[in-house]
Amino acid sequence: MKIIFLTLAFAISCLLKDWGPYFENKEIEISFKTSLCEDVQNGVSFEYYLIQVKNKTAETLVVNFHLGNLNEKSEENKIVFVLKPGEIKSGSCDYQATQLRLFKSKNSTKKSSALTNFNLNSISTIEVH
């Protein structure tokens, strides 16, 4: 039983290390990592930056930001969601109502595949009572 627990703890710690820090203030912490997401049905795969947001407070927060550079700011790439006290939301390859991911590149054998740098802008929070 002890070996299973240690193995599980090690696996979880390895997974958590994949997230790199991006932004932090007294209310939230934003991290990201790169992931290859495969669309088996269509036979393609794409690389995404997955985003993780942690509420560091004891209050409910509305978090909002725009994906991409400041000059790409539009309603289409605006992300808004609620985080309960201490809650962590993480992006994934699966469909989610709030897509916490940013397109990085199409996985292709061509070397000319354009890469998108990880960038978020207009990060803000509003405390909800």
Side-chain angles (χ1 to χ4, degrees), residues 11-127:
I12 290 172
S13 70
C14 287
L15 288 173
L16 294 176
K17 289 180 182 178
D18 289 345
W19 296 98
Y22 177 74
F23 172 86
E24 185 173 4
N25 63 18
K26 63 182 179 158
E27 297 172 326
I28 62 171
E29 179 181 313
I30 300 176
S31 303
F32 73 100
K33 69 179 179 179
T34 302
S35 182
L36 185 63
C37 299
E38 295 189 37
D39 182 350
V40 177
Q41 186 176 14
N42 295 308
V44 295
S45 58
F46 300 96
E47 219 175 345
Y48 283 94
Y49 295 108
L50 302 182
I51 303 166
Q52 183 178 73
V53 184
K54 176 183 180 182
N55 182 347
K56 296 169 42 178
T57 73
E59 304 296 329
T60 299
L61 301 174
V62 174
V63 178
N64 67 77
F65 53 81
H66 286 84
L67 299 169
N69 296 320
L70 192 55
N71 60 350
E72 298 169 356
K73 198 172 171 180
S74 71
E75 287 302 310
E76 185 178 295
N77 64 10
K78 185 175 185 177
I79 305 294
V80 179
F81 58 96
V82 175
L83 274 180
K84 295 176 185 169
E87 184 179 13
I88 299 172
K89 286 196 179 183
S90 301
S92 73
C93 291
D94 299 327
Y95 174 80
Q96 298 174 325
T98 302
Q99 289 287 40
L100 291 176
R101 67 182 187 193
L102 175 64
F103 177 79
K104 181 177 181 184
S105 70
K106 181 176 180 180
N107 188 22
S108 172
T109 55
K110 297 178 182 177
K111 294 190 180 207
S112 62
S113 181
L115 292 177
T116 302
N117 291 324
F118 183 78
N119 195 25
L120 306 177
N121 67 75
S122 304
I123 300 169
S124 66
T125 57
I126 300 168
E127 195 174 296

